Amino acid sequence: MHGASMALSEFELITRYFRTCGAQRRDVALGVGDDAALLECPPGMQLVATTDTLVAGVHFPTSAPAASIGHRALAVNLSDIAAMGARPAWALLALTLPAADEAWLTEFAAGFGSLARAHEVALAGGDTTRGPLTITVQLLGHVPHGRALTRAGGRAGDLLFVSGSPGDAGAGLAIEQGRLAAPPAAAPYLRERFLLPTPRVALGERLRDYARACIDVSDGLLGDAAKLAAASGVGLEIFFGELPVSAPLLQALGPDAARELALTAGDDYELLFAVDPARAAELERELPPAQWNYRQIGVLRAAPGAVVTRDGTVMEFSHSGYQHFA
Ligand code: ADP
Ligand code: MG
């Protein structure tokens, strides 16, 4: 090969960038290179499977760095596995590329690979095609039989918790797209929360022992909370004043707009979970909220529907956060 101008064959591309991209795992009996992968699922475990696609210009701005695209393509799937209370193990990567740009591929594989290795995820196979930039990751993991968390186990009276500080990624995307001007002290942090989200994998696995229902927040906290409540056959109340917002988001938007964004923005990849009030003291003892970074923001209740209250009064609330930057 004599540099980037030379066309890279599909075989060379896969070997160079993806054969050793993820973690090395003993339970990959056969990985990249054959017609399909062979994976050993541990006895007593259920296989957990999820897939998510990122389309350039739809799920991320075309300006996003390649390392961020690689990171996010895996992170959004790790977040789904975390929400099931499961442990991730194996990924498949279907990559559609407009061209074999070696600088881009190096960065993409670095972003994907470092997150994969951090969570001990092996890249066991995939597919590579030419076309408009689109990344599909399938992620497989496992969970002890019958122990997975779902959206459906919540009951009226359960306490509703969320991890992290929702809204940051939504503000970061708006900054990335030039729709929001944040102060220099806040902008880099917010941008990074969009470009490099933190899937709460360790928290999800630990929540298996405490949560009755769990969902990952990808499409906006209020809407995703309503999905959990509906699946559980209950309603919910969120306490506006309890929504955790980061100092940079407060600095960029002020307290009211920051909390509105926390409710409506997407791309957070935090966990929202419901806990039996009788188990809450044990949860907070075993997983200290300051250390595990979560907070109670509301309750599930018998009356259907999702309401947000402030000082006991129901707030009128639009589900669309984008208008804030129009
Ligand atoms: P086939 O034509 O049999 O599907 P491919 O040439 O598509 O074979 O793939 C060859 C091998 O490389 C397979 O093991 C496949 O899983 C793997 N592979 C292809 N693309 C990727 C990718 N982007 N990331 C990881 N593995 C890949
Ligand atoms: Mg193929």
Side-chain angles (χ1 to χ4, degrees):
M1 293 300 293
H2 301 281
S5 61
M6 242 174 121
L8 203 57
S9 78
E10 188 187 333
F11 173 79
E12 287 168 321
L13 186 157
I14 294 163
T15 305
R16 189 171 305 174
Y17 298 103
F18 299 116
R19 186 182 286 281
T20 58
C21 178
Q24 305 298 310
R25 292 180 63 105
R26 288 169 182 280
D27 55 14
V28 179
L30 191 57
V32 172
D34 215 298
D35 288 316
L38 291 173
L39 310 169
E40 311 282 355
C41 194
M45 307 293 265
Q46 276 176 307
L47 191 63
V48 183
T50 188
T51 188
D52 259 310
T53 294
L54 302 185
V55 178
V58 178
H59 301 101
F60 58 89
T62 46
S63 66
S68 155
I69 299 169
H71 177 104
R72 291 185 80 252
L74 182 58
V76 301
N77 285 281
L78 285 167
S79 183
D80 282 324
I81 294 283
M84 301 299 291
R87 177 175 294 190
W90 312 294
L92 301 171
L93 169 64
L95 194 53
T96 302
L97 299 170
D101 177 334
E102 296 196 43
W104 191 94
L105 278 162
T106 301
E107 288 301 305
F108 175 87
F112 185 99
S114 64
L115 187 64
R117 291 188 301 273
H119 292 284
E120 292 180 68
V121 169
L123 181 55
D127 195 26
T128 307
T129 51
R130 193 168 293 251
L133 181 59
T134 305
I135 306 102
T136 298
V137 171
Q138 181 180 23
L139 188 61
L140 306 170
H142 35 73
V143 65
H145 203 279
R147 300 285 324 278
L149 294 174
T150 70
R151 300 176 178 186
R155 298 193 202 158
D158 282 359
L159 312 185
L160 205 53
F161 295 84
V162 74
S163 66
S165 46
D168 289 347
L173 174 59
I175 292 167
E176 188 69 15
Q177 295 177 326
R179 289 185 287 117
L180 173 68
Y189 164 86
L190 296 171
R191 220 178 135 247
E192 183 168 317
R193 295 311 298 153
F194 173 77
L195 294 174
L196 301 173
T198 311
R200 305 295 179 185
V201 178
L203 178 63
E205 249 202 294
R206 295 296 303 275
L207 285 177
R208 224 159 54 210
D209 293 332
Y210 304 100
R212 279 212 273 231
C214 187
I215 188 171
D216 79 311
V217 180
S218 54
D219 299 334
L221 176 54
L222 185 55
D224 288 334
K227 287 179 201 163
L228 180 148
S232 294
V234 295
L236 70 94
E237 176 176 355
I238 288 175
F239 314 129
F240 190 74
E242 296 298 322
L243 288 165
V245 283
S246 70
L249 192 66
L250 283 171
Q251 215 187 337
L253 294 179
D256 283 3
R259 290 191 169 83
E260 283 180 34
L261 195 65
L263 280 171
T264 53
D267 299 309
D268 297 306
Y269 304 106
E270 296 296 347
L271 295 181
L272 181 85
F273 52 99
V275 176
D276 178 352
R279 301 293 313 283
E282 193 187 344
L283 166 73
E284 296 192 356
R285 190 172 62 240
E286 294 302 314
L287 305 179
Q291 184 188 330
W292 286 83
N293 193 14
Y294 67 90
R295 178 187 177 91
Q296 192 196 343
I297 57 161
V299 289
L300 297 182
R301 44 182 225 174
V307 296
V308 181
T309 57
R310 177 180 219 166
D311 306 321
T313 309
V314 174
M315 298 174 76
E316 289 298 324
F317 210 85
S318 151
H319 280 240
S320 162
Y322 284 100
Q323 68 217 25
H324 300 301
F325 313 119

